[in-house]
Amino acid sequence: MANTVYVINGPNLNSLGTREPEKYGTATLADVEKLCRETAARFGLTVEFRQSNHEGEIVDWFHEAKANGARGVVINPAGYTTTSIAILDAIWAVGLPTVEIHITNIHAREAFRHNSYISKAARAVICGFGVDGYALAITGLAAMVGAKS
Ligand code: DHK
């Protein structure tokens, strides 16, 4: 798995496409997966694409990524962004370069969405580009880890 990046999606992103489309758009999670795979392939990278509504499962995936020799992680922590010290600690524990992405501009939304625990460990943060942010996150991660197009 030396050329693999994990793309981890948090709670409710399984409903992408039908969930509040005025905020999150109409692309589905399957569309996002395709975008991620196509973007990663340009840098010779393959993608492990995951989604969970359960915090502990997301923590486990960081440890799995490390054990499998992944190059890095892109995560949309969704509703766990502002609550999960466990995911923050997992990022620090495994030490993999991690890019945080949000579809919406969380800083232009309700105040309770502004304070990200994940940002304290992420190497970079992207928000507000819609699902295109996933392609930007993978492109940035590829540059961070020296994966060439
Ligand atoms: C997705 C969510 O589910 C929210 O909980 C976050 C994020 C924003 C997004 O923009 O991708 O607050």
Side-chain angles (χ1 to χ4, degrees):
M1 284 211 163
N3 281 319
T4 299
V5 295
Y6 275 58
V7 178
I8 298 176
N9 293 279
N12 301 304
L13 292 168
N14 51 309
S15 295
L16 215 51
T18 54
R19 169 196 186 198
E20 299 180 273
E22 69 285 359
K23 293 179 189 140
Y24 296 104
T26 54
T28 65
L29 197 63
D31 296 329
V32 173
E33 180 173 357
K34 185 165 179 283
L35 174 66
C36 289
R37 291 192 189 287
E38 287 171 355
T39 306
R42 296 212 304 267
F43 301 98
L45 298 169
T46 57
V47 169
E48 273 294 324
F49 194 87
R50 307 283 175 86
Q51 189 277 328
S52 179
N53 295 327
H54 304 278
E55 185 177 19
E57 191 166 32
I58 293 170
V59 169
D60 286 345
W61 288 339
F62 273 92
H63 292 277
E64 179 191 302
K66 177 72 172 179
N68 285 339
R71 302 287 294 276
V73 179
V74 170
I75 182 167
N76 183 344
Y80 289 134
T81 304
T82 53
T83 63
S84 186
I85 294 170
I87 296 173
L88 167 64
D89 281 343
I91 298 170
W92 274 327
V94 304
L96 289 172
T98 296
V99 178
E100 175 183 357
I101 183 252
H102 303 279
I103 296 165
T104 61
N105 178 358
I106 56 172
H107 302 290
R109 298 184 63 189
E110 303 96 324
F112 65 80
R113 296 184 196 276
H114 296 178
N115 182 33
S116 169
Y117 279 111
I118 309 310
S119 295
K120 298 181 188 308
R123 291 268 295 269
V125 183
I126 289 171
C127 71
F129 285 100
V131 297
D132 290 343
Y134 283 85
L136 298 171
I138 288 174
T139 300
L141 181 61
M144 265 176 209
V145 303
K148 302 272 186 256
S149 57

